[in-house]
Amino acid sequence: MISVSEALDRLFALVTPLEAEEVPLQQAAGRVLARPVTAQRDQPPFAASAMDGYGVTEAAPGMRLRVIGEAAAGERFTGSVGPGEAVRIFTGAPVPDGVKTVVIQEDVDRNGDEILITDRLGNGDNIRPYGNDFRAGETVSAPRRLTPQDIALLAAMNIAQVPVARRPKVALISTGDELVMPGETPGPDQIIASNTFGLYALLQELGAEPRLLPIARDSEASLQTVLGLADDADLVITIGGASVGDRDLVAKVAGDLGLERAFHKVAMRPGKPLMSGRLGDAMMLGLPGNPVSAMVCGHIFMAPVIRAMLGLGSEPAPRESLPLARAIPANGPREHYMRARLGTAGVSVFERQDSSLLSVLGAADALVVRPPNDPARAAGELVEIVRI
Ligand code: AMP
Ligand code: MG
C-alpha cells in the first residue's frame, strides 16, 4: 500500500495536459485560460470624464463660465475649451481639448448658458486618464480558471475568442449486479447507483465533460463490453469492483485489456481500494464502490487529476488549518479523511464516519485530514481540512 501523496504523484505522472481550443467569450467562464492573452487596445482609449458635470480649464468657487457645447459618451465635443468657457460633459465622454478638470453638476448653479461654481466645489479633476486601466499589449496570465470578472476584462480588451484548455472527456462506469439507475424500480436486493451521479456532478463542476456509460454487471464479459464503449475518453473512471472479492473484476479485466497499472491500494480511510494506470490512450482511475469512499476519492484524487489535465498544475486538493470545535480520538495507521462541518466555533467532526453514509457526507462541507497514527486532539487544536 502506498501513501496518499505517493498515489497522487503517480497519478500526476500519468496525466497528459490537454490541448487548447478557442471558444467565444460567452462560453469561456469557468474554463481554464490556456495561454496568456493580450489587450488589443488602450482603456480608456481617451481621457474620459468620470462624472456628469462641466469641463473647464480651471475651477474655483465664485467663477462664472459660459457653456459653449456638449460632450457625451460616444460623441465628443470637437472644439477646444478656453478660459471663461465650459462644456457640458457626461460620464464616459472624451475630455475636450483644453479641459483640465470636470466640475460635477452638483457643484454648480446653472442659469441659461452660464454656470456659477459654488463653494461646494470638491477636490479632484474627475477625469479618468487615458490608458489608466490597461494598455494595448498588457496580458492576462495563464493558466487560470476564468471568473466572471476575468471575462469582463477580456471583453474590454476586445478579445472575442478565448484560448482555453479542452474539457477532459471522462467516461464513468458503475459496476455491480446490485445497481439500478435513479428513477428505476430496484429489485428486492438492489440499490440505486448514487456516487456515480455525485462524481458526475463533481466532474461538471471541475470543468470536465463527463459521460455516463451503462452499468457494467459483475461478469468479465459485461465489464469488457462497457470498457470498450469508453474508447474516446481521456480518463476512464470505474466505480466499485476494485477490491479483492470474487466479484471484484475491474483489476482483472482492465489488466486483460492492457492496463499498465500504476498502483492498486492506498493507505487511506475511506477509499483503500484505488487503482490507476494507462489503458491505451486513456488514463484509468478505479474508485472504490462505497459511496462515501468514492466521493472522497473524487475530491482527493480525481479533482487534482482533472485540474492537472486542464493545465492548472499538479497540486493536491488545497488544505487549510482550522481549530477543532470538539475533541477527536486518536487515528489508526491509515490517513483518515473525516467528514466534518465548519462553524464559527471551528470544525466539528461527525460522530458517524462509516463509509456508506451519504447522509453524513451530505451534511459535511469539509474533510478533516488525519495523518497516520495522529494522537487524540483536543478542542481548539489546529487540524488540516479540505473543503468539499
Ligand atoms: P464494491 O467495491 O463493488 O464491492 O462495492 C462496495 C460497496 O459499494 C457495495 O456495498 C456496493 O453495493 C456499493 N456500490 C458500488 N458501486 C456503487 C454505486 N455506483 N453507487 C452506490 N453504491 C455503490
Ligand atoms: Mg461491486
Side-chain angles (χ1 to χ4, degrees), residues 219-242:
S219 75
E220 292 190 25
S222 174
L223 195 52
Q224 254 167 27
T225 307
V226 180
L227 278 168
L229 298 174
D231 58 354
D232 69 334
D234 301 300
L235 175 63
V236 178
I237 295 184
T238 58
I239 305 162

Side-chain angles (χ1 to χ4, degrees), residues 175-179 218 239-242 247-248 289:
T175 68
D177 288 340
E178 74 280 29
L179 301 176
D218 288 322
I239 305 162
R247 304 206 171 179
D248 292 325

Side-chain angles (χ1 to χ4, degrees), residues 67-82:
V67 180
I68 60 165
E70 190 172 289
E75 194 174 351
R76 68 176 57 229
F77 175 76
T78 49
S80 90
V81 180

Side-chain angles (χ1 to χ4, degrees), residues 174-176 178-179 191-196 218 239-243 248 273 287-291:
S174 322
T175 68
E178 74 280 29
L179 301 176
I191 59 167
I192 318 287
S194 55
N195 55 42
T196 319
D218 288 322
I239 305 162
S243 44
D248 292 325
L287 298 181
N290 268 317

